[in-house]
Amino acid sequence: MDKIRRIVTGHDSDGSAIFRDDDLIEPLVIPTGDAAMATLWTSESLPADCNDETDGRLRDAGTTIQQGSVLRVVDMLPGASSPMHRTSSIDYGIVISGSIELELDYGVFKTVNTGEVIVQRGTIHKWRNPSNNNICRIIFVLTEAKAFEVNGLSLPEVMEH
């Protein structure tokens, strides 16, 4: 998997813009073995605090951060699929290379190709890379959201294995 160049800006003590970081980040294969991921940045609040000098990449982040945001690159491995899952978040996904199948309830799915965008709104879903040879790279920005409600009850977060 290709490393990802990450450039982070900031300010010096006089308020002038500076380049704070310029590094290469390697996606790491996750325990389920279906994808490799690299978290590039997180914020622990929304709106984010530009005075927080914490390297957002190093902040402890699960799939999402409560009241915050996560920027992550996901490389879905050839022929692999994720478990069905749902998070209380709005996820913006941009397919950078390859194709991915997004499956929702009852086996309904759409194929999303290079350059196309997904807005995932707290629905249960899974990802499947239909290629036997090519990685599908997706950039995701995840922000916390209020869970969808049915008859006044919030749908729970789910991670099926």
Side-chain angles (χ1 to χ4, degrees):
M1 281 150 283
D2 293 335
K3 291 183 180 181
I4 302 144
R5 183 177 180 201
R6 178 187 78 143
I7 300 168
V8 179
T9 64
H11 297 91
D12 67 14
S13 59
D14 295 323
S16 296
I18 60 169
F19 289 107
R20 182 175 169 227
D21 294 300
D22 186 346
D23 45 18
L24 293 175
I25 298 170
E26 183 174 359
L28 301 176
V29 177
I30 61 174
T32 57
D34 58 337
M37 296 186 187
T39 298
L40 302 181
W41 196 261
T42 63
S43 67
E44 62 183 358
S45 64
L46 289 175
D49 183 357
C50 288
N51 296 291
D52 180 357
E53 288 297 323
T54 304
D55 184 337
R57 179 177 171 276
L58 303 177
R59 188 176 280 117
D60 186 23
T63 304
T64 61
I65 291 183
Q66 193 172 32
Q67 299 179 6
S69 67
V70 177
L71 170 62
R72 181 174 291 126
V73 173
V74 175
D75 288 339
M76 279 300 292
L77 302 179
S81 64
S82 74
M84 281 297 246
H85 59 284
R86 172 179 34 238
T87 56
S88 297
S89 61
I90 300 290
D91 308 344
Y92 307 106
I94 304 160
V95 178
I96 299 301
S97 64
S99 295
I100 196 80
E101 293 175 352
L102 172 56
E103 182 178 335
L104 303 180
D105 281 327
Y106 311 111
V108 175
F109 74 93
K110 290 191 180 266
T111 300
V112 187
N113 299 302
T114 300
E116 296 178 344
V117 176
I118 304 143
V119 178
Q120 179 66 32
R121 300 178 54 232
T123 58
I124 195 160
H125 65 285
K126 81 188 261 183
W127 304 104
R128 185 180 312 104
N129 183 343
S131 174
N132 292 321
N133 306 319
N134 299 315
I135 290 172
C136 176
R137 177 165 277 182
I138 308 171
I139 294 178
F140 282 102
V141 177
L142 302 97
T143 62
E144 184 186 25
K146 182 179 176 200
F148 187 79
E149 294 180 1
V150 177
N151 298 322
L153 299 174
S154 296
L155 292 179
E157 292 195 345
V158 173
M159 182 59 75
E160 296 178 5
H161 291 284

